[in-house]
Amino acid sequence: AQSVTQLDSHVSVSEGTPVLLRCNYSSSYSPSLFWYVQHPNKGLQLLLKYTSAATLVKGINGFEAEFKKSETSFHLTKPSAHMSDAAEYFCVVSEPGGGNKLTFGTGTQLKVEL
Amino acid sequence: GAVVSQHPSWVICKSGTSVKIECRSLDFQATTMFWYRQFPKQSLMLMATSNEGSKATYEQGVEKDKFLINHASLTLSTLTVTSAHPEDSSFYICSARGPQGARTEAFFGQGTRLTVV
């Protein structure tokens, strides 16, 4: 069985400062992990994905995440926040044999202040 | 990335009527499509999974006779909310995955805001 825990429901940062959104996962198999972003009343957009290749994954808009198997973590980071980064972020896990399903975390609301 | 188009983006309907939401994969073959419901400030709740040409698999607690899902082709899935009631008002999102399965990302539609009055 697979599961995802997003440790913070809300994160607030100042524009220009680093962003850290935390995600821990549980999986019986070698999982694939994804980060998606959702702006209000919109669908989800893929930021980046880990699928068993390089453990440090770079995504769009300057985001990156590092897969750490020993810590079962896949935290999302960005060196410098921009006002346009304010949105809801979802960490998602997928594993073979799971009926092709995605398991979502509860989401982290990122607020970026001037 | 691949594009999934969902229509309509919003719809208002009267209680007791039915509403159909379409989800199309525009540039890839979606062997699996998912339908989600999202309540305000909450994560996505999986309603059902459909594979092309097969009956949809519904999650526990989701009424299959109320939420009719059809996945007749590799590029189109539809969700019909039958005899809609105000409690069905929600944000519905579809997503699609290609034949590579669990190692590939899912692509999401823009979502449909359903309001039943």
Side-chain angles (χ1 to χ4, degrees):
Chain A
Q2 57 194 27
S3 67
V4 177
T5 302
Q6 289 184 245
L7 298 157
D8 307 294
S9 58
H10 293 84
V11 170
S12 184
V13 300
S14 298
E15 190 174 35
T17 64
V19 175
L20 170 64
L21 305 183
R22 298 183 293 168
C23 172
N24 286 94
Y25 71 92
S26 173
S27 175
S28 303
Y29 302 92
S30 179
S32 295
L33 292 156
F34 311 88
W35 275 99
Y36 285 87
V37 61
Q38 184 182 31
H39 292 275
N41 294 309
K42 300 290 184 184
L44 277 68
Q45 179 185 20
L46 180 70
L47 282 177
L48 48 79
K49 63 179 179 180
Y50 166 77
T51 56
S52 78
T55 56
L56 181 61
V57 181
K58 293 187 184 298
I60 62 171
N61 301 335
F63 285 95
E64 61 181 42
E66 186 171 8
F67 174 73
K68 292 186 177 180
K69 187 175 181 179
S70 60
E71 298 176 11
T72 61
S73 70
F74 190 57
H75 301 333
L76 182 70
T77 61
K78 182 173 180 177
S80 176
H82 191 272
M83 294 297 289
S84 60
D85 294 328
E88 187 83 16
Y89 291 79
F90 293 99
C91 182
V92 180
V93 65
S94 172
E95 62 182 23
N100 220 6
K101 292 180 185 178
L102 300 174
T103 299
F104 284 78
T106 49
T108 299
Q109 181 73 44
L110 175 64
K111 183 177 179 181
V112 182
E113 299 172 319
L114 286 172
Chain B
V3 176
V4 172
S5 179
Q6 184 176 343
H7 291 281
S9 57
W10 61 270
V11 58
I12 301 173
C13 71
K14 290 185 177 180
S15 189
T17 62
S18 295
V19 173
K20 180 184 283 188
I21 302 170
E22 287 192 351
C23 181
R24 293 181 183 273
S25 59
L26 298 184
D27 51 4
F28 70 104
Q29 293 185 329
T31 49
T32 307
M33 284 190 169
F34 306 91
W35 287 95
Y36 298 89
R37 184 171 179 176
Q38 187 177 32
F39 294 99
K41 300 190 184 300
Q42 292 190 26
S43 189
L44 279 68
M45 182 190 79
L46 180 65
M47 299 174 66
T49 303
S50 73
N51 293 293
E52 184 264 338
S54 303
K55 288 185 178 180
T57 301
Y58 289 81
E59 295 298 301
Q60 193 171 12
V62 178
E63 298 177 60
K64 59 180 67 176
D65 294 330
K66 180 163 189 63
F67 298 100
L68 300 178
I69 291 170
N70 183 279
H71 190 169
S73 76
L74 284 170
T75 59
L76 175 64
S77 177
T78 60
L79 166 67
T80 301
V81 183
T82 63
S83 187
H85 288 94
E87 58 265 31
D88 299 324
S89 298
S90 193
F91 193 59
Y92 293 87
I93 305 175
C94 70
S95 73
R97 275 179 125 169
Q100 294 84 2
R103 292 288 178 208
T104 62
E105 63 267 43
F107 297 96
F108 287 80
Q110 307 94 315
T112 298
R113 171 72 59 191
L114 171 63
T115 303
V116 185
V117 297

